Amino acid sequence: MGKALERWETAAAKKAHRKAQAKYQKSEEQVEKRVNRNKARRHMIAEGKAKVGDGKDVAYVDGNALNDDPRNYAMQSRKKNRSYARTKDAGKKNPRD
């Protein structure tokens, strides 16, 4: 297994991680967020603001993935959307400050 196992110390740790991830992805909140993300992407494609394989993400202006109002959608690069500024103690910075 070599490189693939480097992240986990043992195969049992890898199995435990997979099990935890599967449980997390099934939670009601995560399912709802996933549904909203897919819905937002379809909406932006229909509006002509996104294309399949364009390398962009649909960002939520207010940062709340459960707010599925189309006015809350904005297109951003993957890099910009998947990162955010941090405070000195590694907390998430408020973009409105």
Side-chain angles (χ1 to χ4, degrees):
M1 290 198 162
K3 278 198 176 267
L5 194 58
E6 284 179 11
R7 187 171 179 183
W8 297 275
E9 291 182 17
T10 63
K14 185 175 183 178
K15 184 177 178 181
H17 174 74
R18 280 188 181 166
K19 188 176 178 180
Q21 276 297 107
K23 183 178 179 182
Y24 174 74
Q25 292 297 333
K26 284 191 243 179
S27 70
E28 284 186 35
E29 184 180 17
Q30 288 307 310
V31 169
E32 188 176 352
K33 284 182 178 182
R34 184 171 55 249
V35 167
N36 283 348
R37 284 192 301 269
N38 292 339
K39 180 178 167 185
R41 182 76 188 177
R42 285 192 312 270
H43 175 80
M44 294 302 260
I45 289 171
E47 293 266 317
K49 296 178 181 176
K51 294 178 182 166
V52 176
D54 63 1
K56 304 270 184 176
D57 279 350
V58 178
Y60 292 94
V61 175
D62 66 0
N64 180 3
L66 297 176
N67 179 357
D68 62 352
D69 183 0
R71 293 174 296 190
N72 190 35
Y73 303 152
M75 294 303 298
Q76 284 185 347
S77 69
R78 285 184 185 158
K79 184 177 181 178
K80 177 131 174 91
N81 189 47
R82 297 180 187 190
S83 64
Y84 44 83
R86 298 273 185 172
T87 62
K88 288 182 181 179
D89 57 345
K92 187 175 181 178
K93 252 188 192 173
N94 187 344
R96 292 170 193 83
D97 288 344

